[in-house]
Amino acid sequence: MVSLEELNQIKLNYKPPRAIKIVVRMGICGISVGAKEVLKAFEEQVEAKELKDVVVTTTGCIGLCSHEPIVEVVKPGMPDTTYVLVTPEKAKAIFFQHVLKGRIINEWVVPEI
């Protein structure tokens, strides 16, 4: 058992993760329109740049099937951003502009519904 004092010390020393997360939606709808290729494009970019602070992961559908493939980019210090209709070519641009340079590509962001 950890004491209250030890828990408070852990809390004081805690630093949130600094990793950038790229989340590719991999529901059936996304996979059917190219999400696997989009995932591969992001993984290749991370590998090519040998980035240790970028995590590429997957999750399921969020119900916006007509906007698939959908990708979320979570970067510390920036708003969480959801990109829609992502292709492998767009994935490379998102990686370069958003992940590396910190510039959101607004015309590819999920529209207001």
Side-chain angles (χ1 to χ4, degrees):
M1 184 77 136
V2 179
S3 72
L4 183 57
E5 184 177 313
E6 289 172 310
L7 288 173
N8 282 330
Q9 191 60 43
I10 291 169
K11 182 179 175 183
L12 286 173
N13 292 329
Y14 175 76
K15 292 182 175 77
R18 300 283 306 152
I20 298 166
K21 281 192 346 183
I22 300 169
V23 184
V24 181
R25 298 282 173 179
M26 295 290 280
I28 293 171
C29 50
I31 292 170
S32 71
V33 292
K36 284 184 180 181
E37 292 79 11
V38 169
L39 175 67
K40 183 179 178 186
F42 279 114
E43 290 173 335
E44 288 173 350
Q45 293 300 309
V46 171
E47 187 176 317
K49 297 285 185 191
E50 298 180 356
L51 299 175
K52 304 295 182 210
D53 63 340
V54 178
V55 176
V56 180
T57 187
T58 63
T59 191
C61 181
I62 57 171
L64 296 174
C65 301
S66 63
H67 296 301
E68 293 284 355
I70 296 175
V71 174
E72 293 176 63
V73 177
V74 180
K75 184 172 180 175
M78 294 185 71
D80 295 356
T81 306
T82 302
Y83 290 99
V84 296
L85 302 171
V86 180
T87 63
E89 293 75 27
K90 283 183 175 181
K92 292 173 187 171
I94 292 166
F95 184 82
F96 182 72
Q97 291 296 326
H98 190 146
V99 175
L100 297 181
K101 291 189 162 195
R103 297 180 188 148
I104 296 171
I105 304 172
N106 289 312
E107 53 271 13
W108 297 346
V109 173
V110 69
E112 295 286 330
I113 298 176

